Amino acid sequence: MGNSETEGRSTADLKAILNISIMENKNFESCIAACLACAAACDTCAEHCAGNPDHQACERLCKACAEACRKCAEACRNMTGNAAQSAQQCADACRACADECEKHEDDHCMRCAEECRKCEEECRKMAS
């Protein structure tokens, strides 16, 4: 007796399903890695910007972005149904954070903006 889920499917169909599953897993892995790298960069940037009146918006957005990145990474890690929604929210937070960080010439702000742009790209892929 065959597995009712796979019964009646061709080998090509099963390979296609397996390839989609592997691709989705790689998308999750890429998104998780980008989110964790971005969260770390945002934490560092927020720490360096703390107490600087010219960098208040940067500190605030970095903290919010780091939180969104951790939530997205967790949703992707658990492959929950809200992973796409978390990825969309994370991408939006990354864009706002990168836009702000790029206004400053500090090395930590530039590194943060770079990680945010990478994360935004991965999260947009995940959200689509």
Side-chain angles (χ1 to χ4, degrees):
M1 299 278 148
N3 180 338
S4 63
E5 193 173 314
T6 59
E7 215 169 275
R9 293 190 178 169
S10 71
T11 302
D13 289 341
L14 295 175
K15 283 182 181 178
I17 291 167
L18 181 59
N19 284 337
I20 290 169
S21 179
I22 289 168
M23 284 175 41
E24 286 176 353
N25 207 15
K26 285 184 180 181
N27 286 342
F28 278 113
E29 290 172 16
S30 295
C31 191
I32 291 166
C35 285
L36 295 177
C38 187
C42 286
D43 287 338
T44 299
C45 191
E47 189 176 300
H48 280 86
C49 290
N52 183 336
D54 295 332
H55 289 69
Q56 287 178 341
C58 189
E59 179 186 6
R60 180 180 49 78
L61 287 167
C62 283
K63 287 180 178 180
C65 186
E67 182 179 336
C69 286
R70 283 190 272 278
K71 284 181 180 179
C72 183
E74 185 65 24
C76 288
R77 189 178 291 123
N78 294 330
M79 294 185 190
T80 62
N82 69 344
Q85 181 182 4
S86 288
Q88 181 62 51
Q89 291 169 345
C90 186
D92 293 343
C94 286
R95 174 171 286 205
C97 188
D99 288 347
E100 180 60 32
C101 284
E102 288 171 347
K103 294 177 184 177
H104 307 286
E105 294 180 10
D106 305 283
D107 286 342
H108 56 87
C109 288
M110 291 292 107
R111 281 190 301 275
C112 185
E114 185 179 329
E115 290 299 328
C116 284
R117 295 291 182 207
K118 289 176 190 175
C119 188
E120 178 188 6
E121 184 178 331
E122 288 299 324
C123 285
R124 295 232 185 265
K125 286 183 207 173
M126 187 72 219
S128 61

